[in-house]
């Protein structure tokens, strides 16, 4: 457990992380990223994320989920899901 299942505790930062390789610093310019500057792109992406969330929740018996994922080349991938503690 990473502590996220502790009652009333999100768990983020509970344990230290140790990188296996040295960190590399880089400047990232998001000015031309469509997520930042294209309303239509954002709307389409949010629709995809919403659809994946609804499908994931349905697959888990309709129980609300805490879903973590990644978007790669326009596709939404679920990395992990667990019941949402309300």
């Amino acid at each position: 457990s990473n502590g996220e299942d502790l009652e009333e505790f999100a768990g983020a930062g509970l344990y230290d992380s140790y990188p296996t390789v040295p960190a590399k610093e880089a400047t990232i310019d998001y000015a031309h990223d469509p997520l930042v500057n294209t309303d239509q792109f954002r709307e389409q992406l949010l629709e995809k994320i919403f659809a994946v969330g609804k499908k994931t929740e349905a697959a888990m018996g309709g129980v609300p989920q805490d879903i973590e994922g990644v978007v790669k080349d326009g596709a939404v991938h679920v990395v992990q899901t667990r019941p949402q503690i309300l």
Side-chain angles (χ1 to χ4, degrees):
S1 169
N2 64 0
E4 290 185 355
D5 55 350
L6 298 176
E7 189 172 335
E8 298 182 23
F9 188 80
L14 182 61
Y15 301 104
D16 291 331
S17 297
Y18 297 96
T20 58
V21 295
K24 179 175 80 171
E25 289 190 29
T27 301
I28 301 173
D29 180 5
Y30 291 107
H32 302 290
D33 190 308
L35 185 61
V36 172
N37 60 28
T38 307
D39 292 339
Q40 182 180 4
F41 177 85
R42 275 194 306 272
E43 185 175 318
Q44 291 172 346
L45 179 58
L46 288 173
E47 287 172 359
K48 287 180 185 179
I49 291 170
F50 177 79
V52 167
K54 292 298 283 183
K55 288 179 183 178
T56 302
E57 186 174 295
M60 303 307 287
V63 176
Q65 296 292 299
D66 176 5
I67 303 169
E68 296 179 19
V70 64
V71 177
K72 174 75 171 149
D73 297 328
V76 179
H77 305 274
V78 173
V79 176
Q80 70 175 3
T81 186
R82 59 189 162 273
Q84 178 67 54
I85 306 301
L86 302 174

